[in-house]
Amino acid sequence: MSQISSEYVIPEGVHNPNSQDNVESLIAASSEITDDNVVFESYNKELNIASARLEMGGRAIFGSQPEQITDPIITRIYYITGRIHDARKEYLRAA
Amino acid sequence: MTDNRGFIKAVSKRLFGVNFSSKRIILTEQQLKAKESEIGAKIFGPIKPNERREFFNDNEKSWFFHQEITEKGKVISSMTLHYEVQPIGILRISSDPTVKNEFINGQELKNFVQATEMYHERVMNQLYKR
């Protein structure tokens, strides 16, 4: 999708194959392994997974990371849905 | 001595088809959503006699808008829009294959936000009495 770009901040704890740290650690790891292809195959696989996730609208990566929200509109909508859910739960609990 | 409860029961049942002296009706979660949807549908103006409209919040990430137009008892057009709330935006998924699934912006985003605000206010006041 056109809205998905590489500008997204990947939440903490989610492996980002594009980060410099990961690239450096992979290069470091590759020097310890005699068969470089093993490392690069694995790296390419990670890249493919990341790109597939982005194609899915970022849902796989971002779907359950509400703590990462910074947009006030989205925050407001989460607040509204949260209030509605609380009201429903309270009604059902009291019933 | 007159049995008032019996009298109320008989009159309410005759007038409204409901027995007011009995226990209040407890709604299930699905029924609550249906009630919310009735309220939500009115946010978008009067509903025509040949129109069915739904607008409701299904879960913490999903809002649905549905519209059906019937003619001579047959549905001649229908459209369902699923608005998925994601941390990066509101993804609109349409039942119409000619409508692109995309993150909404501009006026559509403003309208969606306004609709959710109105839904929140009305549902809280009219259904949950808050």
Side-chain angles (χ1 to χ4, degrees):
Chain A
M1 286 188 179
S2 58
Q3 288 81 1
I4 304 296
S5 77
S6 57
E7 290 165 14
Y8 293 132
V9 177
I10 295 183
E12 209 176 326
V14 176
H15 176 59
N16 177 7
N18 297 314
S19 81
Q20 191 57 31
D21 287 350
N22 283 320
V23 173
E24 281 168 7
S25 66
L26 277 167
I27 291 167
S30 72
S31 64
E32 293 166 10
I33 298 169
T34 50
D35 185 359
D36 284 350
N37 287 335
V38 175
V39 173
F40 288 109
E41 268 176 28
S42 149
Y43 183 56
N44 282 334
K45 200 172 170 186
E46 287 283 354
L47 273 178
N48 290 339
I49 292 167
S51 117
R53 281 173 171 170
L54 287 174
E55 278 170 21
M56 285 165 65
R59 270 176 280 178
I61 296 174
F62 302 102
S64 58
Q65 302 288 336
E67 67 276 12
Q68 298 293 327
I69 303 162
T70 51
D71 187 331
I73 288 178
I74 305 297
T75 307
R76 178 69 187 158
I77 291 172
Y78 273 119
Y79 168 76
I80 286 172
T81 52
R83 290 250 307 155
I84 293 164
H85 275 253
D86 287 349
R88 270 188 210 146
K89 272 187 208 162
E90 204 172 294
Y91 174 95
L92 293 167
R93 205 181 301 128
Chain B
M1 197 174 155
T2 317
D3 182 355
N4 281 340
R5 287 185 68 183
F7 176 74
I8 292 166
K9 195 175 168 181
V11 170
S12 65
K13 200 165 183 181
R14 172 71 67 91
L15 285 177
F16 306 107
V18 176
N19 179 0
F20 287 145
S21 68
S22 64
K23 278 186 174 180
R24 76 183 176 106
I25 298 161
I26 307 297
L27 302 176
T28 64
E29 189 173 359
Q30 285 307 314
Q31 288 167 329
L32 282 177
K33 285 179 189 174
K35 286 269 178 203
E36 287 182 22
S37 187
E38 264 177 48
I39 296 166
K42 290 172 189 156
I43 289 170
F44 304 91
I47 301 167
K48 292 171 191 158
N50 66 335
E51 182 184 359
R52 182 186 151 211
R53 200 191 292 154
E54 306 278 348
F55 180 65
F56 66 99
N57 169 250
D58 188 42
N59 59 52
E60 288 177 350
K61 290 175 187 168
S62 296
W63 290 79
F64 284 91
F65 176 87
H66 176 79
Q67 190 179 37
E68 263 178 32
I69 308 288
T70 52
E71 208 174 86
K72 294 172 187 170
K74 282 188 177 178
V75 178
I76 56 162
S77 75
S78 98
M79 158 94 101
T80 303
L81 299 174
H82 173 197
Y83 291 94
E84 190 178 276
V85 184
Q86 294 187 12
I88 53 168
I90 311 293
L91 180 65
R92 186 201 57 225
I93 302 155
S94 171
S95 63
D96 182 346
T98 63
V99 177
K100 192 182 167 195
N101 299 332
E102 60 191 351
F103 286 94
I104 58 172
N105 52 47
Q107 194 58 47
E108 187 178 4
L109 179 61
K110 280 183 194 165
N111 291 345
F112 177 77
V113 173
Q114 197 183 349
T116 57
E117 292 279 6
M118 289 170 79
Y119 180 97
H120 174 228
E121 193 188 319
R122 292 185 187 187
V123 158
M124 286 299 181
N125 285 336
Q126 295 173 31
L127 186 60
Y128 299 112
K129 313 291 179 199
R130 290 187 175 192

